[in-house]
Amino acid sequence: MNRIKDLRQAKGWTQDDLAERLNSVRQTIGHYETGHNNIDSSVICRLCDIFDCTADYLLGRSPTGGLQLTPEEESLIIAHRRADDHTRDMVRLALDPFWQDESSATETQSA
């Protein structure tokens, strides 16, 4: 699975638009999106630059949306994993007003 189509559509681009940015053709983009063609590592790097995401996210190996975590955010994640169930429940309760799933985040951004 790859996320090329989703990332392309999120930018409002056609396959031709992306092909132009990659110095390629629409058919090649279509094959990348459907998984019919393997993507060369140099193309993966260029796509990551175009979409400002990680290769793991682009290739469906990471659910983080290509987010780059700060050292503080990484420390918080590690601390959360080390915490007991009661502490994690308290953190969830504190963050509940700020919690959004992907569908509501998308709705909020498009409003």
Side-chain angles (χ1 to χ4, degrees):
M1 173 208 167
N2 70 61
R3 295 185 166 110
I4 297 170
K5 182 177 181 179
D6 294 335
L7 289 165
R8 174 181 60 77
Q9 289 177 333
K11 294 224 179 238
W13 296 344
T14 65
Q15 288 181 343
D16 286 320
D17 295 331
L18 181 55
E20 183 178 323
R21 286 169 172 80
L22 280 175
N23 296 320
S24 187
V25 295
R26 182 189 54 77
Q27 291 84 357
T28 301
I29 302 303
H31 288 301
Y32 290 159
E33 290 181 355
T34 60
H36 285 75
N37 280 13
N38 289 328
I39 307 172
D40 183 81
S41 60
S42 64
V43 174
I44 291 172
C45 290
R46 289 172 53 207
L47 287 167
C48 290
D49 289 342
I50 288 168
F51 293 122
D52 192 28
C53 69
T54 64
D56 279 347
Y57 181 75
L58 181 75
L59 299 173
R61 295 173 38 121
S62 169
T64 63
L67 294 176
Q68 300 296 318
L69 300 178
T70 65
E72 180 183 7
E73 290 167 329
E74 288 179 6
S75 295
L76 287 168
I77 290 169
I78 291 167
H80 184 271
R81 288 179 178 172
R82 291 178 180 163
D84 60 29
D85 289 342
H86 175 70
T87 303
R88 283 194 296 266
D89 287 343
M90 292 180 67
V91 169
R92 284 186 204 104
L93 183 62
L95 295 177
D96 192 45
F98 308 100
W99 192 265
Q100 293 184 44
D101 63 16
E102 284 189 30
S103 61
S104 62
T106 303
E107 290 170 11
T108 303
Q109 290 173 358
S110 62

